[in-house]
Amino acid sequence: MSLFWRIFCLNAVGLVIATALLLGPVTVSTPVLPGEALVVVGGLAALLAVNAAVLRIGLAPLTRLAGAMATADLLRPGARPEVAGPAETAGLITTYNAMLDRLAAERAAGAARVLSAQERERHRVARELHDEVGQTLTAVLLQLRRVADRAPAELREEVGQAQEATRAGLDEIRRIARRLRPALLEELGLHSALRSLAAEFTGHGLTVRHDLAADLTPLPGETELVLYRVAQEALTNTARHSGADRAELRLRGDAAGVELLVRDNGRGTAGAIEGAGISGMRERALLVGAGLSVAAAPGGGTDVRLRVPHRADVPPGTPHPDAGAPR
């Protein structure tokens, strides 16, 4: 029943009862007797109380809807408001839920196009760094080696320093190219790429241990890329911001899906503002219907957990049941 008819029927019943009482056993004298005033005031109070109860019950779904609208975040998809209440309220909640689903699908499609273009640009830049800048620095290094063979003794030390600087620059160019384009992921698979990633971040005061299950169900290429990029971004955040000296990279699989965990022993995330890195990880997680949670690790530090379900029919942008849930 609609809210209008609920209130109308309640008021009509109250007025009919009041009229029947006035035409029957209840009368009002002039001047009004104390007993008659008590009956009239009591009836009015009862009518107002019942009206208030009906309005409170009828408007409760709107209050829940307002709360859901205030906390809605497409990067943290969660449960939709329950469709309940009078017809008008139920229709409004249904429309709102449909709007959220449409926005989530459109955002996921847009994010997929953006991230796809980003990956293509990463590959292009990595290829140019390797083929152009890398080859140029290699040629400079070879030329410096020939110069060092013919240079006077007093200049050989300076030429050697130039060689070392050029070699360091070449190594840095190759490292950047590997980060931009994970060739190991394409050529040797996810396990080799994650082991190489752990080795790359081990050093400069950080030790990264890896524990990668070998019996994982074969995953689509897009899912493997999402797992790799999330692990890369999580380790980058650990190295730059956490102050940790130990980190763990863990990959596990079960009948329900695959879980990636990056755990550190740093200062944690208490009071920290979520930056572009975590937002980017959430965007990538939505592409494969995964759930990403960032929470405090047992004993201190941070847990970044990505859960990818084994569901081939998951459309991009579909929220995973664990999305945004604290752990």
Side-chain angles (χ1 to χ4, degrees), residues 62-139:
L62 287 179
T63 303
R64 292 195 296 270
L65 176 61
M69 294 175 70
T71 58
D73 185 352
L74 294 181
L75 286 180
R76 298 171 181 265
R80 299 288 188 254
E82 180 185 359
V83 179
E88 300 95 330
T89 306
L92 180 60
I93 297 175
T94 300
T95 303
Y96 174 72
N97 288 343
M99 181 192 70
L100 280 186
D101 292 338
R102 185 173 66 254
L103 288 176
E106 291 175 356
R107 183 185 182 95
R113 290 192 294 269
V114 169
L115 292 176
S116 177
Q118 184 184 78
E119 288 297 330
R120 290 195 299 271
E121 186 65 12
R122 284 171 179 259
H123 282 209
R124 185 189 66 81
V125 173
R127 185 171 59 251
E128 291 186 359
L129 284 175
H130 183 272
D131 295 344
E132 303 295 335
V133 182
Q135 290 182 7
T136 300
L137 287 178
T138 300

Side-chain angles (χ1 to χ4, degrees), residues 25-67:
V26 178
T27 59
V28 179
S29 304
T30 303
V32 179
L33 299 176
E36 296 172 344
L38 182 61
V39 170
V40 172
V41 171
L44 177 61
L47 182 61
L48 292 176
V50 175
N51 264 284
V54 170
L55 288 174
R56 174 73 66 179
I57 295 172
L59 296 178
L62 287 179
T63 303
R64 292 195 296 270
L65 176 61

Side-chain angles (χ1 to χ4, degrees), residues 303-315:
D303 274 1
V304 177
R305 195 183 301 266
L306 180 71
R307 181 74 182 181
V308 184
H310 280 320
R311 293 185 295 168
D313 58 338
V314 176

